[in-house]
PDB file of all heavy atoms in Angstrom:
ATOM      1  N   ARG A   8      81.549  73.669 111.326  1.00  0.00           N
ATOM      2  CA  ARG A   8      81.127  72.520 110.542  1.00  0.00           C
ATOM      3  C   ARG A   8      82.159  71.417 110.716  1.00  0.00           C
ATOM      4  O   ARG A   8      83.343  71.633 110.560  1.00  0.00           O
ATOM      5  CB  ARG A   8      81.042  72.943 109.074  1.00  0.00           C
ATOM      6  CG  ARG A   8      80.852  71.821 108.097  1.00  0.00           C
ATOM      7  CD  ARG A   8      80.726  72.391 106.699  1.00  0.00           C
ATOM      8  NE  ARG A   8      79.500  73.147 106.561  1.00  0.00           N
ATOM      9  CZ  ARG A   8      78.313  72.609 106.294  1.00  0.00           C
ATOM     10  NH1 ARG A   8      78.209  71.304 106.135  1.00  0.00           N
ATOM     11  NH2 ARG A   8      77.254  73.352 106.181  1.00  0.00           N
ATOM     12  N   THR A   9      81.701  70.229 111.035  1.00  0.00           N
ATOM     13  CA  THR A   9      82.639  69.125 111.225  1.00  0.00           C
ATOM     14  C   THR A   9      82.575  68.128 110.082  1.00  0.00           C
ATOM     15  O   THR A   9      83.453  67.312 109.918  1.00  0.00           O
ATOM     16  CB  THR A   9      82.356  68.383 112.542  1.00  0.00           C
ATOM     17  OG1 THR A   9      80.985  68.044 112.563  1.00  0.00           O
ATOM     18  CG2 THR A   9      82.707  69.247 113.734  1.00  0.00           C
ATOM     19  N   THR A  10      81.491  68.214 109.281  1.00  0.00           N
ATOM     20  CA  THR A  10      81.384  67.305 108.144  1.00  0.00           C
ATOM     21  C   THR A  10      81.435  68.097 106.855  1.00  0.00           C
ATOM     22  O   THR A  10      81.022  69.252 106.833  1.00  0.00           O
ATOM     23  CB  THR A  10      80.050  66.525 108.183  1.00  0.00           C
ATOM     24  OG1 THR A  10      78.997  67.471 108.312  1.00  0.00           O
ATOM     25  CG2 THR A  10      80.021  65.548 109.335  1.00  0.00           C
ATOM     26  N   PRO A  11      81.939  67.500 105.763  1.00  0.00           N
ATOM     27  CA  PRO A  11      82.010  68.238 104.514  1.00  0.00           C
ATOM     28  C   PRO A  11      80.609  68.590 104.000  1.00  0.00           C
ATOM     29  O   PRO A  11      79.651  67.872 104.271  1.00  0.00           O
ATOM     30  CB  PRO A  11      82.689  67.260 103.545  1.00  0.00           C
ATOM     31  CG  PRO A  11      83.127  66.115 104.354  1.00  0.00           C
ATOM     32  CD  PRO A  11      82.420  66.133 105.652  1.00  0.00           C
ATOM     33  N   ARG A  12      80.536  69.723 103.301  1.00  0.00           N
ATOM     34  CA  ARG A  12      79.260  70.124 102.701  1.00  0.00           C
ATOM     35  C   ARG A  12      78.851  69.102 101.649  1.00  0.00           C
ATOM     36  O   ARG A  12      79.683  68.602 100.890  1.00  0.00           O
ATOM     37  CB  ARG A  12      79.450  71.497 102.041  1.00  0.00           C
ATOM     38  CG  ARG A  12      78.234  72.043 101.352  1.00  0.00           C
ATOM     39  CD  ARG A  12      78.468  73.503 101.026  1.00  0.00           C
ATOM     40  NE  ARG A  12      78.526  74.279 102.248  1.00  0.00           N
ATOM     41  CZ  ARG A  12      77.445  74.723 102.885  1.00  0.00           C
ATOM     42  NH1 ARG A  12      76.242  74.464 102.421  1.00  0.00           N
ATOM     43  NH2 ARG A  12      77.577  75.428 103.982  1.00  0.00           N
ATOM     44  N   THR A  13      77.587  68.745 101.617  1.00  0.00           N
ATOM     45  CA  THR A  13      77.099  67.813 100.599  1.00  0.00           C
ATOM     46  C   THR A  13      76.098  68.524  99.716  1.00  0.00           C
ATOM     47  O   THR A  13      75.640  69.618 100.036  1.00  0.00           O
ATOM     48  CB  THR A  13      76.396  66.598 101.228  1.00  0.00           C
ATOM     49  OG1 THR A  13      75.124  67.042 101.721  1.00  0.00           O
ATOM     50  CG2 THR A  13      77.214  66.005 102.365  1.00  0.00           C
ATOM     51  N   ARG A  14      75.713  67.868  98.622  1.00  0.00           N
ATOM     52  CA  ARG A  14      74.792  68.525  97.703  1.00  0.00           C
ATOM     53  C   ARG A  14      73.395  68.648  98.311  1.00  0.00           C
ATOM     54  O   ARG A  14      72.528  69.310  97.756  1.00  0.00           O
ATOM     55  CB  ARG A  14      74.769  67.789  96.364  1.00  0.00           C
ATOM     56  CG  ARG A  14      74.200  66.414  96.410  1.00  0.00           C
ATOM     57  CD  ARG A  14      74.511  65.655  95.118  1.00  0.00           C
ATOM     58  NE  ARG A  14      74.155  64.261  95.250  1.00  0.00           N
ATOM     59  CZ  ARG A  14      72.933  63.804  95.013  1.00  0.00           C
ATOM     60  NH1 ARG A  14      71.984  64.624  94.641  1.00  0.00           N
ATOM     61  NH2 ARG A  14      72.677  62.527  95.160  1.00  0.00           N
ATOM     62  N   HIS A  15      73.160  67.984  99.454  1.00  0.00           N
ATOM     63  CA  HIS A  15      71.853  68.092 100.096  1.00  0.00           C
ATOM     64  C   HIS A  15      71.777  69.306 101.016  1.00  0.00           C
ATOM     65  O   HIS A  15      70.718  69.662 101.487  1.00  0.00           O
ATOM     66  CB  HIS A  15      71.555  66.817 100.902  1.00  0.00           C
ATOM     67  CG  HIS A  15      71.628  65.582 100.061  1.00  0.00           C
ATOM     68  ND1 HIS A  15      70.739  65.347  99.036  1.00  0.00           N
ATOM     69  CD2 HIS A  15      72.498  64.553 100.059  1.00  0.00           C
ATOM     70  CE1 HIS A  15      71.054  64.189  98.437  1.00  0.00           C
ATOM     71  NE2 HIS A  15      72.123  63.704  99.046  1.00  0.00           N
ATOM     72  N   ASP A  16      72.942  69.902 101.301  1.00  0.00           N
ATOM     73  CA  ASP A  16      72.947  71.067 102.183  1.00  0.00           C
ATOM     74  C   ASP A  16      72.309  72.263 101.483  1.00  0.00           C
ATOM     75  O   ASP A  16      72.274  72.354 100.271  1.00  0.00           O
ATOM     76  CB  ASP A  16      74.387  71.452 102.561  1.00  0.00           C
ATOM     77  CG  ASP A  16      74.965  70.458 103.537  1.00  0.00           C
ATOM     78  OD1 ASP A  16      74.197  69.692 104.120  1.00  0.00           O
ATOM     79  OD2 ASP A  16      76.199  70.457 103.691  1.00  0.00           O
ATOM     80  N   LYS A  17      71.848  73.225 102.326  1.00  0.00           N
ATOM     81  CA  LYS A  17      71.361  74.486 101.771  1.00  0.00           C
ATOM     82  C   LYS A  17      72.546  75.241 101.182  1.00  0.00           C
ATOM     83  O   LYS A  17      73.661  75.117 101.679  1.00  0.00           O
ATOM     84  CB  LYS A  17      70.723  75.311 102.879  1.00  0.00           C
ATOM     85  CG  LYS A  17      69.350  74.843 103.259  1.00  0.00           C
ATOM     86  CD  LYS A  17      68.724  75.845 104.207  1.00  0.00           C
ATOM     87  CE  LYS A  17      67.356  75.362 104.598  1.00  0.00           C
ATOM     88  NZ  LYS A  17      66.927  75.897 105.889  1.00  0.00           N
ATOM     89  N   PRO A  18      72.291  76.076 100.174  1.00  0.00           N
ATOM     90  CA  PRO A  18      73.405  76.880  99.644  1.00  0.00           C
ATOM     91  C   PRO A  18      73.859  77.909 100.681  1.00  0.00           C
ATOM     92  O   PRO A  18      73.131  78.213 101.623  1.00  0.00           O
ATOM     93  CB  PRO A  18      72.796  77.563  98.422  1.00  0.00           C
ATOM     94  CG  PRO A  18      71.343  77.445  98.568  1.00  0.00           C
ATOM     95  CD  PRO A  18      71.050  76.294  99.476  1.00  0.00           C
ATOM     96  N   TYR A  19      75.053  78.437 100.471  1.00  0.00           N
ATOM     97  CA  TYR A  19      75.532  79.485 101.368  1.00  0.00           C
ATOM     98  C   TYR A  19      74.625  80.700 101.254  1.00  0.00           C
ATOM     99  O   TYR A  19      74.162  81.051 100.174  1.00  0.00           O
ATOM    100  CB  TYR A  19      76.961  79.877 100.995  1.00  0.00           C
ATOM    101  CG  TYR A  19      77.970  78.787 101.232  1.00  0.00           C
ATOM    102  CD1 TYR A  19      78.661  78.212 100.169  1.00  0.00           C
ATOM    103  CD2 TYR A  19      78.246  78.348 102.522  1.00  0.00           C
ATOM    104  CE1 TYR A  19      79.607  77.219 100.394  1.00  0.00           C
ATOM    105  CE2 TYR A  19      79.180  77.360 102.746  1.00  0.00           C
ATOM    106  CZ  TYR A  19      79.858  76.798 101.681  1.00  0.00           C
ATOM    107  OH  TYR A  19      80.783  75.824 101.895  1.00  0.00           O
ATOM    108  N   ARG A  20      74.436  81.382 102.384  1.00  0.00           N
ATOM    109  CA  ARG A  20      73.610  82.585 102.396  1.00  0.00           C
ATOM    110  C   ARG A  20      74.474  83.828 102.144  1.00  0.00           C
ATOM    111  O   ARG A  20      74.098  84.730 101.419  1.00  0.00           O
ATOM    112  CB  ARG A  20      72.930  82.702 103.763  1.00  0.00           C
ATOM    113  CG  ARG A  20      71.851  83.764 103.852  1.00  0.00           C
ATOM    114  CD  ARG A  20      71.236  83.750 105.244  1.00  0.00           C
ATOM    115  NE  ARG A  20      72.173  84.241 106.238  1.00  0.00           N
ATOM    116  CZ  ARG A  20      72.228  85.508 106.648  1.00  0.00           C
ATOM    117  NH1 ARG A  20      71.387  86.382 106.168  1.00  0.00           N
ATOM    118  NH2 ARG A  20      73.107  85.894 107.552  1.00  0.00           N
ATOM    119  N   ARG A  21      75.649  83.846 102.777  1.00  0.00           N
ATOM    120  CA  ARG A  21      76.515  85.020 102.653  1.00  0.00           C
ATOM    121  C   ARG A  21      77.943  84.554 102.369  1.00  0.00           C
ATOM    122  O   ARG A  21      78.481  83.716 103.112  1.00  0.00           O
ATOM    123  CB  ARG A  21      76.458  85.847 103.928  1.00  0.00           C
ATOM    124  CG  ARG A  21      77.192  87.153 103.844  1.00  0.00           C
ATOM    125  CD  ARG A  21      76.926  88.017 105.045  1.00  0.00           C
ATOM    126  NE  ARG A  21      75.552  88.505 105.088  1.00  0.00           N
ATOM    127  CZ  ARG A  21      74.961  89.007 106.175  1.00  0.00           C
ATOM    128  NH1 ARG A  21      75.638  89.098 107.295  1.00  0.00           N
ATOM    129  NH2 ARG A  21      73.708  89.422 106.124  1.00  0.00           N
ATOM    130  N   VAL A  22      78.538  85.123 101.336  1.00  0.00           N
ATOM    131  CA  VAL A  22      79.846  84.668 100.865  1.00  0.00           C
ATOM    132  C   VAL A  22      80.782  85.862 100.751  1.00  0.00           C
ATOM    133  O   VAL A  22      80.357  86.951 100.361  1.00  0.00           O
ATOM    134  CB  VAL A  22      79.694  83.990  99.469  1.00  0.00           C
ATOM    135  CG1 VAL A  22      81.040  83.759  98.812  1.00  0.00           C
ATOM    136  CG2 VAL A  22      78.926  82.679  99.593  1.00  0.00           C
ATOM    137  N   LEU A  23      82.034  85.673 101.120  1.00  0.00           N
ATOM    138  CA  LEU A  23      83.031  86.701 100.846  1.00  0.00           C
ATOM    139  C   LEU A  23      83.936  86.220  99.710  1.00  0.00           C
ATOM    140  O   LEU A  23      84.530  85.147  99.795  1.00  0.00           O
ATOM    141  CB  LEU A  23      83.888  87.039 102.068  1.00  0.00           C
ATOM    142  CG  LEU A  23      84.755  88.266 101.760  1.00  0.00           C
ATOM    143  CD1 LEU A  23      84.736  89.249 102.913  1.00  0.00           C
ATOM    144  CD2 LEU A  23      86.154  87.895 101.348  1.00  0.00           C
ATOM    145  N   LEU A  24      83.984  87.022  98.671  1.00  0.00           N
ATOM    146  CA  LEU A  24      84.811  86.706  97.506  1.00  0.00           C
ATOM    147  C   LEU A  24      86.069  87.565  97.547  1.00  0.00           C
ATOM    148  O   LEU A  24      85.983  88.781  97.647  1.00  0.00           O
ATOM    149  CB  LEU A  24      84.009  86.998  96.232  1.00  0.00           C
ATOM    150  CG  LEU A  24      84.733  86.856  94.899  1.00  0.00           C
ATOM    151  CD1 LEU A  24      85.096  85.401  94.639  1.00  0.00           C
ATOM    152  CD2 LEU A  24      83.845  87.392  93.773  1.00  0.00           C
ATOM    153  N   LYS A  25      87.231  86.936  97.490  1.00  0.00           N
ATOM    154  CA  LYS A  25      88.501  87.685  97.408  1.00  0.00           C
ATOM    155  C   LYS A  25      88.971  87.643  95.960  1.00  0.00           C
ATOM    156  O   LYS A  25      89.151  86.553  95.398  1.00  0.00           O
ATOM    157  CB  LYS A  25      89.540  87.050  98.347  1.00  0.00           C
ATOM    158  CG  LYS A  25      90.987  87.441  98.064  1.00  0.00           C
ATOM    159  CD  LYS A  25      91.326  88.886  98.433  1.00  0.00           C
ATOM    160  CE  LYS A  25      92.484  89.422  97.596  1.00  0.00           C
ATOM    161  NZ  LYS A  25      93.779  88.823  97.790  1.00  0.00           N
ATOM    162  N   ILE A  26      89.182  88.817  95.397  1.00  0.00           N
ATOM    163  CA  ILE A  26      89.684  88.892  94.013  1.00  0.00           C
ATOM    164  C   ILE A  26      91.075  89.500  94.036  1.00  0.00           C
ATOM    165  O   ILE A  26      91.251  90.665  94.427  1.00  0.00           O
ATOM    166  CB  ILE A  26      88.769  89.761  93.126  1.00  0.00           C
ATOM    167  CG1 ILE A  26      87.331  89.245  93.171  1.00  0.00           C
ATOM    168  CG2 ILE A  26      89.282  89.767  91.689  1.00  0.00           C
ATOM    169  CD1 ILE A  26      86.366  90.108  92.387  1.00  0.00           C
ATOM    170  N   SER A  27      92.061  88.732  93.612  1.00  0.00           N
ATOM    171  CA  SER A  27      93.425  89.252  93.552  1.00  0.00           C
ATOM    172  C   SER A  27      93.527  90.324  92.470  1.00  0.00           C
ATOM    173  O   SER A  27      92.831  90.249  91.449  1.00  0.00           O
ATOM    174  CB  SER A  27      94.403  88.131  93.202  1.00  0.00           C
ATOM    175  OG  SER A  27      94.454  87.230  94.268  1.00  0.00           O
ATOM    176  N   GLY A  28      94.421  91.274  92.709  1.00  0.00           N
ATOM    177  CA  GLY A  28      94.620  92.330  91.718  1.00  0.00           C
ATOM    178  C   GLY A  28      94.978  91.772  90.349  1.00  0.00           C
ATOM    179  O   GLY A  28      94.549  92.309  89.318  1.00  0.00           O
ATOM    180  N   GLU A  29      95.736  90.688  90.336  1.00  0.00           N
ATOM    181  CA  GLU A  29      96.164  90.099  89.047  1.00  0.00           C
ATOM    182  C   GLU A  29      94.981  89.679  88.185  1.00  0.00           C
ATOM    183  O   GLU A  29      95.114  89.564  86.970  1.00  0.00           O
ATOM    184  CB  GLU A  29      97.069  88.887  89.303  1.00  0.00           C
ATOM    185  CG  GLU A  29      98.471  89.281  89.705  1.00  0.00           C
ATOM    186  CD  GLU A  29      99.314  88.091  90.143  1.00  0.00           C
ATOM    187  OE1 GLU A  29      98.757  86.977  90.211  1.00  0.00           O
ATOM    188  OE2 GLU A  29     100.504  88.290  90.415  1.00  0.00           O
ATOM    189  N   SER A  30      93.830  89.435  88.816  1.00  0.00           N
ATOM    190  CA  SER A  30      92.647  89.034  88.030  1.00  0.00           C
ATOM    191  C   SER A  30      92.156  90.172  87.146  1.00  0.00           C
ATOM    192  O   SER A  30      91.400  89.946  86.204  1.00  0.00           O
ATOM    193  CB  SER A  30      91.495  88.630  88.958  1.00  0.00           C
ATOM    194  OG  SER A  30      91.940  87.771  89.960  1.00  0.00           O
ATOM    195  N   PHE A  31      92.555  91.392  87.464  1.00  0.00           N
ATOM    196  CA  PHE A  31      92.076  92.547  86.701  1.00  0.00           C
ATOM    197  C   PHE A  31      92.896  92.803  85.436  1.00  0.00           C
ATOM    198  O   PHE A  31      92.551  93.670  84.648  1.00  0.00           O
ATOM    199  CB  PHE A  31      92.114  93.814  87.568  1.00  0.00           C
ATOM    200  CG  PHE A  31      91.037  93.856  88.622  1.00  0.00           C
ATOM    201  CD1 PHE A  31      91.236  93.262  89.861  1.00  0.00           C
ATOM    202  CD2 PHE A  31      89.826  94.482  88.370  1.00  0.00           C
ATOM    203  CE1 PHE A  31      90.251  93.297  90.839  1.00  0.00           C
ATOM    204  CE2 PHE A  31      88.832  94.523  89.345  1.00  0.00           C
ATOM    205  CZ  PHE A  31      89.039  93.930  90.577  1.00  0.00           C
ATOM    206  N   CYS A  32      94.023  92.076  85.285  1.00  0.00           N
ATOM    207  CA  CYS A  32      94.858  92.325  84.101  1.00  0.00           C
ATOM    208  C   CYS A  32      95.210  91.012  83.427  1.00  0.00           C
ATOM    209  O   CYS A  32      94.981  89.936  83.986  1.00  0.00           O
ATOM    210  CB  CYS A  32      96.123  93.105  84.485  1.00  0.00           C
ATOM    211  SG  CYS A  32      97.194  92.236  85.638  1.00  0.00           S
ATOM    212  N   LYS A  33      95.745  91.104  82.238  1.00  0.00           N
ATOM    213  CA  LYS A  33      96.207  89.910  81.525  1.00  0.00           C
ATOM    214  C   LYS A  33      97.428  89.354  82.263  1.00  0.00           C
ATOM    215  O   LYS A  33      98.179  90.115  82.883  1.00  0.00           O
ATOM    216  CB  LYS A  33      96.604  90.270  80.086  1.00  0.00           C
ATOM    217  CG  LYS A  33      95.445  90.818  79.256  1.00  0.00           C
ATOM    218  CD  LYS A  33      94.676  89.703  78.572  1.00  0.00           C
ATOM    219  CE  LYS A  33      93.624  90.256  77.616  1.00  0.00           C
ATOM    220  NZ  LYS A  33      92.301  89.664  77.783  1.00  0.00           N
ATOM    221  N   PRO A  34      97.651  88.021  82.184  1.00  0.00           N
ATOM    222  CA  PRO A  34      98.796  87.432  82.888  1.00  0.00           C
ATOM    223  C   PRO A  34     100.103  88.148  82.556  1.00  0.00           C
ATOM    224  O   PRO A  34     100.381  88.446  81.392  1.00  0.00           O
ATOM    225  CB  PRO A  34      98.811  85.986  82.370  1.00  0.00           C
ATOM    226  CG  PRO A  34      97.405  85.714  81.946  1.00  0.00           C
ATOM    227  CD  PRO A  34      96.850  87.024  81.464  1.00  0.00           C
ATOM    228  N   GLY A  35     100.870  88.451  83.598  1.00  0.00           N
ATOM    229  CA  GLY A  35     102.172  89.087  83.421  1.00  0.00           C
ATOM    230  C   GLY A  35     102.093  90.566  83.109  1.00  0.00           C
ATOM    231  O   GLY A  35     103.110  91.198  82.820  1.00  0.00           O
ATOM    232  N   SER A  36     100.893  91.122  83.162  1.00  0.00           N
ATOM    233  CA  SER A  36     100.719  92.528  82.809  1.00  0.00           C
ATOM    234  C   SER A  36     100.355  93.352  84.048  1.00  0.00           C
ATOM    235  O   SER A  36     100.389  92.849  85.168  1.00  0.00           O
ATOM    236  CB  SER A  36      99.635  92.611  81.729  1.00  0.00           C
ATOM    237  OG  SER A  36      99.440  93.933  81.343  1.00  0.00           O
ATOM    238  N   PHE A  37     100.013  94.618  83.837  1.00  0.00           N
ATOM    239  CA  PHE A  37      99.639  95.513  84.938  1.00  0.00           C
ATOM    240  C   PHE A  37      98.351  96.249  84.599  1.00  0.00           C
ATOM    241  O   PHE A  37      97.893  96.215  83.456  1.00  0.00           O
ATOM    242  CB  PHE A  37     100.751  96.560  85.188  1.00  0.00           C
ATOM    243  CG  PHE A  37     101.997  95.971  85.752  1.00  0.00           C
ATOM    244  CD1 PHE A  37     103.061  95.651  84.924  1.00  0.00           C
ATOM    245  CD2 PHE A  37     102.113  95.721  87.116  1.00  0.00           C
ATOM    246  CE1 PHE A  37     104.218  95.088  85.436  1.00  0.00           C
ATOM    247  CE2 PHE A  37     103.269  95.161  87.639  1.00  0.00           C
ATOM    248  CZ  PHE A  37     104.321  94.846  86.796  1.00  0.00           C
ATOM    249  N   GLY A  38      97.803  96.935  85.578  1.00  0.00           N
ATOM    250  CA  GLY A  38      96.654  97.796  85.334  1.00  0.00           C
ATOM    251  C   GLY A  38      95.356  97.022  85.200  1.00  0.00           C
ATOM    252  O   GLY A  38      95.232  95.908  85.706  1.00  0.00           O
ATOM    253  N   ILE A  39      94.402  97.643  84.531  1.00  0.00           N
ATOM    254  CA  ILE A  39      93.063  97.055  84.406  1.00  0.00           C
ATOM    255  C   ILE A  39      92.771  96.790  82.946  1.00  0.00           C
ATOM    256  O   ILE A  39      92.788  97.705  82.117  1.00  0.00           O
ATOM    257  CB  ILE A  39      92.001  98.000  85.010  1.00  0.00           C
ATOM    258  CG1 ILE A  39      92.266  98.180  86.515  1.00  0.00           C
ATOM    259  CG2 ILE A  39      90.596  97.450  84.773  1.00  0.00           C
ATOM    260  CD1 ILE A  39      91.386  99.210  87.182  1.00  0.00           C
ATOM    261  N   ASP A  40      92.506  95.529  82.646  1.00  0.00           N
ATOM    262  CA  ASP A  40      92.160  95.146  81.283  1.00  0.00           C
ATOM    263  C   ASP A  40      90.631  95.067  81.186  1.00  0.00           C
ATOM    264  O   ASP A  40      89.999  94.366  81.990  1.00  0.00           O
ATOM    265  CB  ASP A  40      92.778  93.779  80.971  1.00  0.00           C
ATOM    266  CG  ASP A  40      92.449  93.327  79.565  1.00  0.00           C
ATOM    267  OD1 ASP A  40      93.221  93.653  78.651  1.00  0.00           O
ATOM    268  OD2 ASP A  40      91.390  92.684  79.395  1.00  0.00           O
ATOM    269  N   PRO A  41      90.038  95.762  80.223  1.00  0.00           N
ATOM    270  CA  PRO A  41      88.568  95.797  80.146  1.00  0.00           C
ATOM    271  C   PRO A  41      87.938  94.407  80.022  1.00  0.00           C
ATOM    272  O   PRO A  41      86.877  94.158  80.601  1.00  0.00           O
ATOM    273  CB  PRO A  41      88.297  96.630  78.887  1.00  0.00           C
ATOM    274  CG  PRO A  41      89.547  97.381  78.627  1.00  0.00           C
ATOM    275  CD  PRO A  41      90.680  96.593  79.193  1.00  0.00           C
ATOM    276  N   ASP A  42      88.584  93.509  79.287  1.00  0.00           N
ATOM    277  CA  ASP A  42      88.004  92.161  79.127  1.00  0.00           C
ATOM    278  C   ASP A  42      88.014  91.403  80.451  1.00  0.00           C
ATOM    279  O   ASP A  42      87.050  90.723  80.806  1.00  0.00           O
ATOM    280  CB  ASP A  42      88.792  91.351  78.089  1.00  0.00           C
ATOM    281  CG  ASP A  42      88.650  91.942  76.699  1.00  0.00           C
ATOM    282  OD1 ASP A  42      87.658  92.667  76.476  1.00  0.00           O
ATOM    283  OD2 ASP A  42      89.522  91.678  75.846  1.00  0.00           O
ATOM    284  N   GLU A  43      89.137  91.505  81.173  1.00  0.00           N
ATOM    285  CA  GLU A  43      89.225  90.811  82.468  1.00  0.00           C
ATOM    286  C   GLU A  43      88.216  91.407  83.455  1.00  0.00           C
ATOM    287  O   GLU A  43      87.556  90.683  84.200  1.00  0.00           O
ATOM    288  CB  GLU A  43      90.648  90.923  83.046  1.00  0.00           C
ATOM    289  CG  GLU A  43      91.748  90.384  82.140  1.00  0.00           C
ATOM    290  CD  GLU A  43      91.610  88.898  81.836  1.00  0.00           C
ATOM    291  OE1 GLU A  43      91.081  88.163  82.700  1.00  0.00           O
ATOM    292  OE2 GLU A  43      92.001  88.485  80.738  1.00  0.00           O
ATOM    293  N   LEU A  44      88.111  92.728  83.430  1.00  0.00           N
ATOM    294  CA  LEU A  44      87.143  93.400  84.307  1.00  0.00           C
ATOM    295  C   LEU A  44      85.729  92.901  84.001  1.00  0.00           C
ATOM    296  O   LEU A  44      84.953  92.582  84.902  1.00  0.00           O
ATOM    297  CB  LEU A  44      87.233  94.922  84.093  1.00  0.00           C
ATOM    298  CG  LEU A  44      86.280  95.785  84.908  1.00  0.00           C
ATOM    299  CD1 LEU A  44      86.562  95.652  86.408  1.00  0.00           C
ATOM    300  CD2 LEU A  44      86.394  97.252  84.473  1.00  0.00           C
TER     301      LEU A  44
END
Side-chain angles (χ1 to χ4, degrees):
R8 170 178 293 277
T9 52
T10 53
R12 179 167 292 277
T13 73
R14 66 193 171 86
H15 304 294
D16 287 344
K17 283 189 181 155
Y19 293 115
R20 190 178 70 94
R21 187 171 291 163
V22 168
L23 189 135
L24 175 67
K25 162 71 206 294
I26 305 176
S27 292
E29 283 172 355
S30 313
F31 287 86
C32 62
K33 298 272 187 229
S36 181
F37 291 97
I39 297 173
D40 180 89
D42 294 338
E43 303 298 330
L44 179 63

